[in-house]
Amino acid sequence: MTLQFAQQTTDALPLHVVGADDLDSFIETLTPAHAAWVRASVFSGAIGQSLVLPGADGAPAGALVGYGTSANRARGRFALAAAVPALPPLTFALAGGIPAEMLEQETLGWLLTGYRFDRYKSQASLGAQLVAPEGVDAARVEVLANAEALTRTLINTPAADMGPAQLENAARELADAHGASIDVTLGEALLEQNFPMIHAVGRAAEQEPRLIDMRWGDSGPTLTLVGKGVCFDTGGLNLKPGSSMGLMKKDMGGSATVLGLAQIIMASGWQVRLRVLIPAVENNVSGNSFRPGDILTARNGMTVEINNTDAEGRLVLADALAYGAEETPDLMLTMATLTGAARVAVGPDIAPFYTDDAALAQALMAAGPKMADPVWQMPFHEPYEPMIEPGIADLDNAPSGGFAGSITAALFLRRFAGAGRYAHFDIYGWNPTPQPARPKGGVQQGARALFMALHKVLDL
């Protein structure tokens, strides 16, 4: 699926975006016939409303969509996109009503309404098309939209069709499309090449665990993205209940997000040396599953006591982080659907992040609203370090007590990230209720904010 603007055409119908407070003054600009039509309708300018204007021959001559009030718009994102599903499948050109500083965000929302996860459906529906407005960088908006489409599709695909092998194939397709190189360490080779925790978590599954290593670019600062690729998480021997297992196809949402971010970076032609590391596993149950009470030794030599096999994401990320840190990149990031504690703290809509880098944190907090990609900084609270230090190993993968679960997970990962600049995102990767431009299902979080922030902090 490719999300793109319609070609410029003289047949495009004018689309008037009308705020609730501006409806009366807008009606005065219309022809008497159209003014009477609007007054006779129930159109009030509310977000999500649309009204087709008839021409003299009865065919559509244009349309209105509601933009609500500023207070309404502050309570959500992509106000323009809310009305797109109600428009007829025609081509439109904006005829005003959206502030210049919101054009890119709103037109991105329009493109995202065109996303369909239709792999398992026999028919695909077509929606209204939009000509790129003047002043919008159409290529940039299309890059952002299609990167999100990639992330959504990877997350939405059931684990039967998106195991470690299929995730590897997706990474290879992305690498091929942009001239990147890729190397994969598979199965028993993980032990031979010192990735013991990736192997331990994934060894019980039918598909072999693997570490995917993609590289692109030969100049500029070094940027390493590490994404959690747990393609399905049963919980291991600490088996999840059925109610908690239903969404576990999304437990590779971190890897899907870093692949989406990598697509944005490569398609934008950044002068950067990009590396993407994805430990791809299934946390399954078999006779050789790793067990509660086991002590694993990570790539960097630290030992980890396993107090819950359902806290496996931090284990596979630890080996990948330690590997990435060996090259001391200018910046390293982790993306992971890591903890339920993060959802309790900020809900499903906000991506919390951790970093000690003040410049990066400031850039991310500024970028979130501009890119319609809400993020929020959480603390690496060092007084909680003892919580991840058990009595018989260096680290505990699942501290008891239940407090500060997202923070302790972030502190755990930081132990493997080396001394360089580092940030960690604890994302949800799923939209639980339909919203404008965001259907229920897999969703990209943090990537657009990072795209804007990284451009600044890496001085690109």
Side-chain angles (χ1 to χ4, degrees):
M1 169 181 292
T2 300
L3 304 179
Q4 59 190 13
F5 290 106
Q7 295 296 314
Q8 188 74 42
T9 172
T10 56
D11 296 331
L13 301 177
L15 183 70
H16 304 275
V17 182
V18 185
D21 296 333
D22 304 320
L23 180 59
D24 290 338
S25 59
F26 172 76
I27 290 175
E28 293 177 1
T29 69
L30 298 174
T31 66
H34 281 162
W37 178 263
V38 175
R39 289 192 180 100
S41 74
V42 294
F43 186 83
S44 65
I47 291 174
Q49 282 191 324
S50 69
L51 178 67
V52 174
L53 298 175
D57 60 356
L64 315 183
V65 293
Y67 205 47
T69 65
S70 57
N72 298 147
R73 294 191 295 274
R75 298 183 66 173
R77 286 180 272 166
F78 304 125
L80 174 62
V84 174
L87 290 170
L90 302 171
T91 299
F92 294 91
L94 287 177
I98 297 178
E101 66 273 13
M102 294 298 295
L103 268 177
E104 179 173 304
Q105 186 176 129
E106 295 292 12
T107 55
L108 171 64
W110 182 298
L111 290 190
L112 290 175
T113 64
Y115 174 81
R116 303 285 187 275
F117 183 61
D118 54 13
R119 175 172 177 172
Y120 303 98
K121 290 189 174 182
S122 58
Q123 294 181 339
S125 58
L126 298 177
Q129 302 294 304
L130 181 69
V131 174
E134 188 174 343
V136 166
D137 186 338
R140 169 184 157 107
V141 175
E142 288 176 348
V143 164
L144 294 173
N146 285 292
E148 169 124 4
L150 170 65
T151 296
R152 290 181 181 184
T153 296
L154 292 175
I155 296 172
N156 284 331
T157 303
D161 294 322
M162 188 52 63
Q166 290 83 10
L167 184 57
E168 176 190 332
N169 289 339
R172 288 188 181 277
E173 289 177 4
L174 183 63
D176 289 344
H178 294 280
S181 66
I182 196 163
D183 181 70
V184 176
T185 306
L186 180 68
E188 294 303 305
L190 290 166
L191 294 176
E192 297 165 7
Q193 298 184 37
N194 193 25
F195 300 105
M197 293 209 295
I198 298 174
H199 182 272
V201 171
R203 70 192 182 202
E206 182 177 353
Q207 287 195 22
E208 293 180 294
R210 65 205 68 203
L211 177 65
I212 302 164
D213 187 351
M214 184 173 73
R215 295 177 185 264
W216 177 87
D218 56 10
S219 63
T222 51
L223 172 64
T224 297
L225 310 177
V226 184
K228 176 184 171 184
V230 178
C231 295
F232 195 81
D233 181 18
T234 67
L237 292 177
N238 290 113
L239 194 68
K240 292 177 182 288
S243 60
S244 298
M245 210 183 297
L247 277 182
M248 283 301 99
K249 69 177 184 179
K250 79 170 185 65
D251 213 20
M252 41 65 70
S255 63
T257 302
V258 297
L259 288 174
L261 178 56
Q263 177 168 306
I264 296 172
I265 291 170
M266 293 187 292
S268 300
W270 280 13
Q271 294 296 308
V272 66
R273 287 171 287 172
L274 175 67
R275 188 182 192 189
V276 178
L277 293 170
I278 295 174
V281 303
E282 286 186 72
N283 186 21
N284 221 322
V285 178
S286 185
N288 64 341
S289 297
F290 75 119
R291 298 163 292 261
D294 284 354
I295 295 180
L296 306 180
T297 301
R299 179 180 180 85
N300 67 355
M302 297 191 75
T303 55
V304 180
E305 182 179 2
I306 306 303
N307 282 311
N308 193 318
T309 61
D310 197 18
E312 83 298 329
R314 66 202 68 185
L315 302 176
V316 298
L317 287 169
D319 270 356
L321 269 171
Y323 187 42
E326 290 167 12
E327 292 190 356
T328 318
D330 293 308
L331 178 63
M332 187 155 57
L333 303 169
T334 44
M335 280 275 187
T337 53
L338 204 61
T339 71
R343 309 290 72 76
V344 173
V346 298
D349 202 37
I350 301 172
F353 70 91
Y354 297 81
T355 185
D356 291 320
D357 190 300
L360 177 59
Q362 184 178 10
L364 280 166
M365 290 299 290
K370 292 180 180 178
M371 301 301 290
D373 191 12
V375 297
W376 195 258
Q377 186 178 12
M378 299 278 279
F380 279 127
H381 189 57
E382 295 192 1
Y384 291 164
E385 289 278 6
M387 295 170 66
I388 61 172
E389 296 170 345
I392 59 173
D394 296 320
L395 293 171
D396 183 339
N397 85 316
S400 61
F403 289 129
S406 181
I407 296 175
T408 54
L411 290 171
F412 181 99
L413 292 179
R414 191 175 65 165
R415 297 288 188 99
F416 299 88
R421 301 168 82 183
Y422 171 61
H424 163 61
F425 279 74
D426 191 343
I427 64 172
Y428 190 47
W430 190 263
N431 192 38
T433 56
Q435 302 290 334
R438 292 169 294 144
K440 181 179 179 179
V443 70
Q444 187 181 85
Q445 292 182 291
R448 292 196 303 273
L450 276 166
F451 172 67
M452 183 175 183
L454 291 175
H455 200 273
K456 181 175 181 180
V457 299
L458 294 178
D459 197 23
L460 297 168

